[in-house]
Amino acid sequence: MKEITINVDSINKVKEFVNVLNTFDGDFDLITERYVVDAKSIMGIFSLDISKDIKLAIHDNAPADKVIAALDSFIVK
């Protein structure tokens, strides 16, 4: 599993983020202090505080390098 920190602080960013993730097979989770939600779920993401940075967990069955490259605009650097 690989973790990166992302920011999706608007409705449009959330939609774009989910659309990008749905092009990949594999499991992805978003993790905040107390919650873990499916990163491919728009409703799940909106249950989080999107004004803050969020950890994205890319599980082993997903091509992490390709996912990270596709999500470059969302990654907190």
Side-chain angles (χ1 to χ4, degrees), residues 33-50:
E33 292 132 9
R34 294 190 284 167
Y35 302 101
V36 176
V37 299
D38 182 355
K40 292 183 177 182
S41 167
I42 289 176
M43 294 301 290
I45 295 171
F46 284 126
S47 71
L48 303 175
D49 181 359
I50 63 171

Side-chain angles (χ1 to χ4, degrees), residues 33-34 40 54 67 74 77:
E33 292 132 9
R34 294 190 284 167
K40 292 183 177 182
I54 302 171
V67 172
F74 302 101
K77 297 175 182 173

Side-chain angles (χ1 to χ4, degrees), residues 8-76:
V8 287
D9 59 358
S10 71
I11 293 170
N12 289 333
K13 282 185 177 181
V14 170
K15 289 179 187 177
E16 185 181 344
F17 174 79
V18 170
N19 287 338
V20 170
L21 272 189
N22 279 319
T23 64
F24 293 98
D25 289 330
D27 294 320
F28 306 91
D29 291 321
L30 290 177
I31 305 164
T32 61
E33 292 132 9
R34 294 190 284 167
Y35 302 101
V36 176
V37 299
D38 182 355
K40 292 183 177 182
S41 167
I42 289 176
M43 294 301 290
I45 295 171
F46 284 126
S47 71
L48 303 175
D49 181 359
I50 63 171
S51 68
K52 297 180 180 177
D53 295 342
I54 302 171
K55 294 246 185 246
L56 170 67
I58 303 168
H59 296 283
D60 293 336
N61 54 345
D65 294 337
K66 291 180 181 179
V67 172
I68 291 169
L71 295 175
D72 186 60
S73 64
F74 302 101
I75 296 173
V76 175

